[in-house]
Structures are given as structure tokens and as C-alpha cells.
Amino acid sequence: MQHATNGTANGATNGMTKRGANGHTQVPIGVKTGANRDQKTDYTRWRLRDDRGCQTWHYLQGEEEVEEWPQSAADRYFLGMETGLPELRTAKTPLEAAENALSFFSKLQLPPGNWACEYGGPMFLLPGLVITWYVTETPIPTERAIEIKNYLFARAHPEDGGWGLHIEGESSVFGIAMNYTVLRLLGVDPEDPRMQKARSTLWKLGGALNGPHWSKFWLSVLGVMEWDIVNPVPPELWLLPDWMPIAPWRWWIHMRHVFLPMSYVYSKRWSYPLNDLTRQLRSELLTQPFETITFSAHRNSISPMDDYHPKAWILKLLFWFLAVIWGPYLRPAWLVERAEKHVWWLIQAEDKNTDFSNLGPVNGPMNTLCAYIKHGPEGYAFQEHLKTLPEFLWMKDEGMLMNGTNGVQTWDTAFTVLAADSCGFLSQKQYRPMFTKALEFLEDQQILAEVDDQQACYRQQRKGAWGFSTRKQGYAVSDCTSEGLKATLILQNQHDYPTLVEERRLKDAIDVLLTMQNSSGGCASYEPTRGSELLEHLNAAEVFGRIMIEYDYVECTTAVVTALQMFQKHYPSYRSAEIVAFRDRAVDYIRSAQRPDGSWYGAWGICFTYAAMFAMESLKSVGETYENSERVRRACQFFLDRQMEDGGWGETYKSCETGEYCQHEKSQVVQTAWVVIAMLEGGFPDKEPLRKALKMIMSRQQANGEWKQEAIEGVFNKSCMISYPNYKFIFPIKALGMYAKRFGNGPL
């Protein structure tokens, strides 16, 4: 086993206070900092900086700083403070309600032209970051430590004190073991009643030995467990020929970019040296004395609460071979050296091609740790990672969390343009400055070049694409490119905004989109499907489903189809035959994905309400409506049968897990807007159910134009939910505008 060599074994708990380069007091994590006293920072000192979409939160120390950098309405809104925005005239018509909403939402636009928000929900992200800080002996600003603790305590289960996979999930070993560890590393006393309660729940679930693969990995890095408990993650897989069906380049991009650094650390068997705190954690997280545990016997131990995707027998057999035969007896040193060298090169390529932003908040800390292991604390890559990791952090009224990416900047900005267009606002003079800034942001975020060594690091074509967050992060996404393209076309070609994105760049976007179709006709997210669904038999994550490969998605397919068609209206001669053929195959996929009851399953939003909004738009694009299509009528009836008494719709995240519509106890503004949009796209002729739905939406609108946050909106990999708080502005505005256009803007 390789241990850290710099510093001391208890270097992070030596009680020394440090001052960072920014002048902020920084506390070595692991030090008790008034752990039994609830602390809170001064929220009037927090500021969000947005540098071309790169968002970081800053805590101002001196009065002079506070005076020089005033807190904006957006800052106050994100922090749950009074915004100071005025009450508006009560809306009586759909467009008045939409205008009030946009009036409020416009104040949240940031200087580069984008909209920002929390992108939280998953409860397994902060642990990777904090453990990485701890084992690399990286002090963090006191204000961050305080607010991370506040967030975790705010999100503890109200009954059992634990944490789940996501903020609405039931307590699990993964959630409790990881977040309990974070709190201990940040100095919380184990005898704090909240910690005792969480620990009791963890022990009832069998303790950390029953955690999934990712928690065992991080606890082995920390030195709380031995590496024998981690199922093998051999970097040698990256040396397999590309033609092999299980070669990692065929996996879903997030899966392979987690496996990549994980395999490097696993191969090194790197652990932080044992100290007093990690020794105590052994007794707190494990239900039996550490010395009595045969860790290799618990590689496949897992709590039923965590075992969403049980390991296949063939995977267990493969793990046994790798752990018992390959590793001890057959694995040659020369092959290990070659594999680690190649994996390190791929990690460097990822860092270079994303300017150290990395694909997401799981591989970001892991790549940071790999850089530390390779070159130590003074290494260039490690230092650059430390600068970039804060882009994942977000402050809100509950404290500091870690976002699911480095933001939703391009995605939400493009959707805001489309929503405003449905209301006719883009042509109105008072909105022109706002949407000119939005266009400037979209222009700035289009990806203008391919990555270096594109083929060698298995990257999809991206020149002309848009990503989910920023150009710096640099990953092309099919639906983000589509929505970015549509927003640009709407502004430039339909409403005479400045031509910032020239024709050649629009065509570059089309060139990317035309690479995204699978043989089924459907589209995936980051790249076409590269491997067989049989690869799910190798899914070792346990807590996620459908994680090993890209899949067809109704949402992505619709986004691409509608973008291609909009482009073709303005540029009819460019690759026209290919676009038509693409559209026909794609819409056939949408038809085939519909269930007998008329519904579509949503992969990126909760769940059937979300998917239908897209699917009905696809069908409309080829002329299928309620009047002439039995499948559209079935889709509308599916929702009419589920309309709630107040006129709205609502389904819980359980719909995503079970694959069946699960009614929420309360209607949801966002999901109701999705259904209204879906039925309007389908040409549903009866306005009464839709009028009733929008009346409910308008009744929940606040006097200043906003809507309050309700249940979580998004999902990935079937089992993990994620927040899209701007959806409560974007989709009600769009639904209100579409209704007014179809049925008139009379009072509801």
C-alpha cells in the first residue's frame, strides 16, 4: 500500500491556523472549530463572481471590500435573503403572469448574460471533494467549512438523521457513511446528538462495510478501510484494443471518466497515513473492531437500501478472478507500469482539454488526487485543480453544497430565450437589452475547435457545439447544442438581434448534430452509443441504473430534431437530404418509445410529464396532432386521467426509479407547466383542463413575480435526483405564452 509521503501522519490535525493567499483565515480540516455550537457566516458578505460563465462564491472579509463590491439582487436571491424587488400588479391574464415572472427573473441575469442557479441534489459529491482536501492536507477557508457543515445538517433526514443518495432519498449507507465522514473531517464532535443519531442509523444498516463501491473507494483513500474491500479497478482495461466489446472507450462518458482516475489510485493503492481522527472513524463507521475484519470478504457486501442495481453473477466472478488470481499471481509489473502511464496520460488530456474544469464533480476531485499522487503538493496540475474545484461549490440559504456540474449556464440561458419567444417578448423593446446579453453569452460559449488528440482520448466531434455549462468545460452535448442553436436562430434570424454567430458557425453546429444519431433513430447525450447494453452486466456502481453506455433519449432526440428543422427553414440547402433522413428516423424512434398507455419515460427530468413535453413537440414537427393522430390522443388522455383536483399535475421521483407514474401528494408548478406545454404541442382542443392548470400556476405566483421552490425536478441514471430551480420560471413562462397564443390572453 502506498501512503502519502509529504507532511506528517497527523498533519491535518495539528491545530495550526493558516492564512491563504487570498488573505482569508483557513483552518486545517479535522480541527474542532466549535463543533457543538451552530455557526453561521454573515450572508451579507457572500458574492457570486461570474467570469464568462465560470461561477465562484466569495466571502468578503473587510468593510472596504463590502463597500466596493455591493451585493446584487441575484446574490441575495440565491442566499435566500430579501431581494428588495418590488411587488407587481396582480396578474389576471396568462401574459401578465408571464411578464411578472420575467420581470423578476430578469433581475437574476448575471453580467455575462447567463442565468445561474443551484444544481444540487446528489449527496455523494461533497465527500469526494472534502476527502481530497483532507488527504492532500489542503486547508479550506473557515467560512466554507462552516457552511458545508450547515448544509449537511440542514439536509439530514428529519426522522433518522441520515442522508440518502439525493436530498429527497431515503437514508442509505452511502449517504450516511460519506456525509458523516465529511462532518467529522470538518471538526464536528462525534458526540453531537445529530452525529449520534446518524451513526445509529448507519449501524442499523450494517455500517460502512455495507456501502457501495464508491464509498469503499473513498474510505480506503482516507485510510479508514483497507484496499482489499474495494472490488478491482484495473487500469489495464485501458490497454485493451479498441475493437473489444468491453473496451472503456465504449462506456458512457461519465462512467469512463470516473473509472479512469479511480483505476490510477486503485493501482497505486494509495492511502492517507492513519492518524487519531481516521482511527476514530474506524470505530464510528464500522460495527466491529477493525482488527477483526477480513476486508476482502466484504467486497460485495451491500445494504439493500444501496443496492439499486445488484451486481451480475458474471461481474462477481470477474472481480473474484481479478482480486484472487490476476492481482496476486499473474499481473506483471511491466504491464502495471504501462497501464498507469497510459491512464495518467488520459488524465492529463482530460485536464488539458477542460482547462482543469473536468467533466464533472466526481472525476474533478479524483483527478486532483491523481495529480497530487503523481507530482506532489507543489505540482502544476494539483495547484491548477485547487483553483478550479471551487467552481463546483454553491451557496444557498441552507449552506454550501456541491453542484452536479460546474453549472447550468448555457442550458438555462437557451431555455429562457425559448420561453420568452413563446410569449412574444423578444420583439418588445424593453426586453431587447436582456436578450442581447443572452445572445452575447451564447456566442461566447460556442465551442470553436476540436480537442487536441481527439481520437486518442476518445472525444466526440465538438467544433460548433454548445455544452451544458461553459465552453471552458468543453464537452459537446446533443440537446445543449440543439437548444443553444435554436436560441441563436430565434434571436438572430427571427427577431433581428445582432448577428454574432455567423453562418459558418451555425453550420458547424449542424455538422455536430448530424453525428449524434444512433442506428435506432434516437439520440443520446454526449456521443452516439458506442457499446452494447450487455455492458450493464459490468455495472459495479450499484447505486445507479443504466450507467455503462449511452442510451436513446426522447428529450435529446426531440431537441436535435427541432433544431435541425429550425435551421433548415433559414438555410434550406445545407445538407438538406441528410437532415430530412435524420428527422424521419428520429421521429420513428419517438413513436416507438411511446408506451401502450400513451406515455413516454423521461431520463433527465421527473419523469413522464417531462418526456411528454419533448415527444409531443417531435410529433408536432411532422404534423401529428390531436386531430389526426391516435398516439397524440393517447398521450393527452394519459394526463387527463391523472389531472389533480386543483388542475395541476405532480409525480414523485419514484416514477424514475420504478418506471411507473407515481402521484405526488401535491401538484407541482413545474410539472404542470410541462403537461400544459405537451398538450398544447399536441393541439389538444379543449382549453378548460389547461385553463384550470394555469389558474393553479398563477395562484402560486408571488407578488414579486416569482414562484417558490417545490419538489426536485431532475434525474440522472434513474436513481439520483438533481435540482433545476430555474425551471420554475422558464416553463411556466413558456406554458403561459403558448396558452395565450392558442386560446387568447383573456383573464383566467
Side-chain angles (χ1 to χ4, degrees):
M1 183 184 298
Q2 181 176 341
H3 291 288
T5 56
N6 69 301
T8 60
N10 63 348
T13 58
N14 60 17
M16 292 175 61
T17 299
K18 301 183 181 180
R19 187 164 293 275
N22 58 5
H24 293 202
T25 300
Q26 304 195 355
V27 178
I29 48 184
V31 176
K32 291 182 183 179
T33 53
N36 289 320
R37 299 193 308 272
D38 284 331
Q39 297 172 297
K40 193 175 176 68
T41 61
D42 180 354
Y43 274 29
T44 66
R45 293 180 177 271
W46 284 102
R47 305 289 188 272
L48 178 65
R49 174 175 289 145
D50 188 342
D51 180 10
R52 296 180 66 187
C54 295
Q55 299 163 173
T56 49
W57 281 94
H58 300 264
Y59 192 72
L60 307 185
Q61 299 291 329
E63 295 304 322
E64 190 174 333
E65 283 184 287
V66 172
E67 194 170 324
E68 290 177 354
W69 188 355
Q71 198 168 46
S72 68
D75 292 334
R76 293 191 293 273
Y77 174 77
F78 298 139
L79 293 164
M81 301 165 65
E82 287 296 325
T83 61
L85 297 178
E87 293 189 3
L88 305 170
R89 188 175 64 181
T90 302
K92 292 186 169 51
T93 69
L95 288 183
E96 287 175 354
E99 192 166 1
N100 283 356
L102 190 58
S103 173
F104 184 92
F105 198 43
S106 68
K107 304 303 189 297
L108 306 185
Q109 187 181 31
L110 299 177
N114 66 291
W115 278 265
C117 64
E118 164 197 355
Y119 190 48
M123 293 301 296
F124 57 89
L125 301 177
L126 275 171
L129 175 66
V130 174
I131 290 173
T132 297
W133 278 336
Y134 186 84
V135 301
T136 61
E137 300 183 354
T138 301
I140 63 169
T142 304
E143 60 272 9
R144 279 189 193 156
I146 289 171
E147 293 300 346
I148 289 172
K149 288 185 285 187
N150 287 342
Y151 179 75
L152 292 181
F153 281 132
R155 281 299 175 177
H157 193 283
E159 295 173 7
D160 63 32
W163 297 269
L165 183 66
H166 56 88
I167 57 175
E168 293 191 7
E170 299 162 285
S171 294
S172 65
V173 173
F174 192 18
I176 302 173
M178 290 286 88
N179 289 296
Y180 180 98
T181 297
V182 169
L183 289 167
R184 291 289 282 120
L185 296 181
L186 293 178
V188 179
D189 194 304
E191 299 312 309
D192 184 306
R194 297 166 294 187
M195 300 293 277
Q196 291 179 329
K197 191 175 184 180
R199 195 163 63 241
S200 173
T201 302
L202 175 64
W203 279 44
K204 288 175 184 176
L205 294 172
L209 290 180
N210 283 345
H213 186 255
W214 287 13
S215 67
K216 289 170 177 171
F217 168 84
W218 280 117
L219 290 175
S220 297
V221 166
L222 187 58
V224 172
M225 289 183 172
E226 292 185 354
W227 276 104
D228 285 346
I229 200 171
V230 180
N231 270 312
V233 193
E236 299 93 282
L237 279 180
W238 285 98
L239 299 179
L240 291 174
D242 287 350
W243 56 264
M244 289 197 69
I246 65 169
W249 76 276
R250 298 182 182 276
W251 303 356
W252 184 46
I253 198 165
H254 280 277
M255 190 62 206
R256 68 178 186 258
H257 275 291
V258 170
F259 176 79
L260 182 69
M262 188 181 277
S263 71
Y264 186 85
V265 179
Y266 173 83
S267 188
K268 297 290 188 184
R269 292 202 162 211
W270 188 95
S271 289
Y272 189 70
L274 189 66
N275 61 31
D276 290 344
L277 177 55
T278 51
R279 187 179 290 109
Q280 291 167 17
L281 276 170
R282 288 177 171 180
S283 65
E284 295 164 31
L285 298 176
L286 304 173
T287 58
Q288 64 189 90
F290 180 89
E291 296 75 16
T292 68
I293 299 171
T294 304
F295 283 92
S296 60
H298 292 281
R299 283 196 304 269
N300 295 312
S301 298
I302 187 165
S303 161
M305 292 301 299
D306 295 78
D307 203 14
Y308 181 76
H309 185 97
K311 288 190 289 292
W313 69 267
I314 193 170
L315 181 59
K316 291 181 180 179
L317 179 63
L318 178 61
F319 280 150
W320 174 86
F321 171 76
L322 291 171
V324 178
I325 306 297
W326 173 253
Y329 301 112
L330 302 179
R331 191 181 187 222
W334 66 266
L335 186 64
V336 174
E337 182 181 358
R338 184 180 167 198
E340 289 179 356
K341 183 178 179 181
H342 182 55
V343 163
W344 173 245
W345 182 87
L346 289 169
I347 291 169
Q348 287 179 295
E350 161 74 352
D351 289 346
K352 177 184 177 183
N353 291 327
T354 63
D355 198 10
F356 296 93
S357 291
N358 296 132
L359 177 62
V362 178
N363 78 316
M366 286 184 180
N367 281 17
T368 305
L369 178 58
C370 291
Y372 179 87
I373 294 170
K374 181 69 175 178
H375 291 302
E378 303 304 321
Y380 173 77
F382 177 69
Q383 290 297 321
E384 288 302 306
H385 275 296
L386 292 185
K387 295 174 188 175
T388 306
L389 286 172
E391 292 178 20
F392 291 114
L393 295 173
W394 189 264
M395 265 300 296
K396 60 175 298 186
D397 56 336
E398 296 171 314
M400 181 167 274
L401 58 93
M402 195 171 189
N403 278 339
T405 62
N406 62 338
V408 298
Q409 296 88 318
T410 296
W411 182 246
D412 278 7
T413 301
F415 266 149
T416 301
V417 173
L418 271 60
D421 186 50
S422 73
C423 301
F425 292 156
L426 297 182
S427 58
Q428 295 183 19
K429 185 177 180 180
Q430 68 265 37
Y431 297 115
R432 198 169 181 87
M434 173 178 23
F435 289 106
T436 298
K437 287 178 66 67
L439 177 59
E440 290 169 353
F441 179 79
L442 292 172
E443 184 278 330
D444 186 50
Q445 297 305 313
Q446 188 183 23
I447 299 168
L448 302 180
E450 304 297 350
V451 300
D452 292 339
D453 301 305
Q454 180 181 350
Q455 299 302 318
C457 51
Y458 309 112
R459 286 289 295 270
Q460 176 71 10
Q461 179 178 329
R462 70 170 197 171
K463 182 183 177 183
W466 278 272
F468 185 69
S469 58
T470 61
R471 183 169 75 179
K472 177 186 174 187
Q473 191 258 9
Y475 274 90
V477 189
S478 63
D479 52 356
C480 301
T481 300
S482 300
E483 304 301 351
L485 177 62
K486 285 192 288 186
T488 302
L489 288 169
I490 287 169
L491 290 168
Q492 291 188 172
N493 295 58
Q494 296 180 18
H495 293 284
D496 296 322
Y497 280 70
T499 302
L500 304 182
V501 182
E502 61 196 35
E503 182 177 330
R504 180 62 259 171
R505 287 168 59 181
L506 299 174
K507 291 177 178 177
D508 288 341
I510 294 299
D511 293 343
V512 171
L513 293 178
L514 289 174
T515 71
M516 291 288 189
Q517 192 167 42
N518 291 319
S519 59
S520 62
C523 296
S525 54
Y526 290 89
E527 56 204 13
T529 304
R530 296 176 173 183
S532 165
E533 192 170 353
L534 293 173
L535 282 170
E536 290 297 344
H537 290 298
L538 302 183
N539 179 354
E542 297 146 324
V543 294
F544 306 113
R546 291 167 67 89
I547 195 174
M548 289 300 296
I549 63 168
E550 280 275 17
Y551 288 91
D552 298 319
Y553 302 115
V554 169
E555 304 98 304
C556 296
T557 305
T558 294
V560 177
V561 165
T562 53
L564 291 173
Q565 288 194 285
M566 184 180 292
F567 172 84
Q568 199 168 41
K569 289 178 182 177
H570 299 287
Y571 304 96
S573 62
Y574 188 73
R575 303 186 70 173
S576 57
E578 294 166 86
I579 289 174
V580 170
F582 188 114
R583 180 202 67 194
D584 291 345
R585 292 193 302 269
V587 175
D588 281 344
Y589 158 72
I590 296 290
R591 293 174 180 133
S592 69
Q594 188 179 29
R595 296 182 174 192
D597 64 6
S599 68
W600 288 269
Y601 177 86
W604 301 105
I606 302 172
C607 170
F608 296 95
T609 51
Y610 186 67
M613 174 177 65
F614 289 92
M616 298 281 260
E617 187 180 8
S618 275
L619 296 177
K620 177 187 175 183
S621 74
V622 293
E624 280 199 49
T625 65
Y626 190 92
E627 184 179 11
N628 61 22
S629 172
E630 183 271 338
R631 63 172 51 86
V632 173
R633 291 193 289 272
R634 268 191 294 131
C636 291
Q637 192 60 48
F638 176 85
F639 289 114
L640 290 174
D641 292 343
R642 289 160 179 78
Q643 190 169 22
M644 300 174 76
E645 189 173 337
D646 66 358
W649 284 269
E651 55 178 326
T652 74
Y653 72 85
K654 289 292 184 181
S655 293
C656 305
E657 292 184 347
T658 65
E660 301 294 331
Y661 191 99
C662 295
Q663 185 84 16
H664 204 288
E665 62 183 8
K666 181 182 178 183
S667 61
Q668 300 292 303
V669 164
V670 171
Q671 291 171 347
T672 300
W674 289 342
V675 176
V676 170
I677 292 167
M679 295 180 76
L680 287 168
E681 295 283 16
F684 183 68
D686 182 3
K687 78 174 185 178
E688 183 53 28
L690 306 182
R691 184 199 66 80
K692 189 177 180 184
L694 290 181
K695 187 176 180 182
M696 182 279 289
I697 288 176
M698 289 174 62
S699 73
R700 294 191 195 169
Q701 189 174 29
Q702 305 300 299
N704 61 6
E706 69 173 314
W707 283 275
K708 295 297 185 182
Q709 185 64 31
E710 297 179 338
I712 202 164
E713 304 89 352
V715 63
F716 59 91
N717 299 125
K718 299 187 72 172
S719 61
C720 193
M721 309 306 130
I722 195 160
S723 302
Y724 287 85
N726 286 340
Y727 280 7
K728 65 180 175 286
F729 295 99
I730 292 166
F731 291 106
I733 289 172
K734 184 172 183 177
L736 290 160
M738 289 177 66
Y739 178 93
K741 185 174 182 180
R742 174 74 187 282
F743 293 113
N745 192 37
L748 297 184

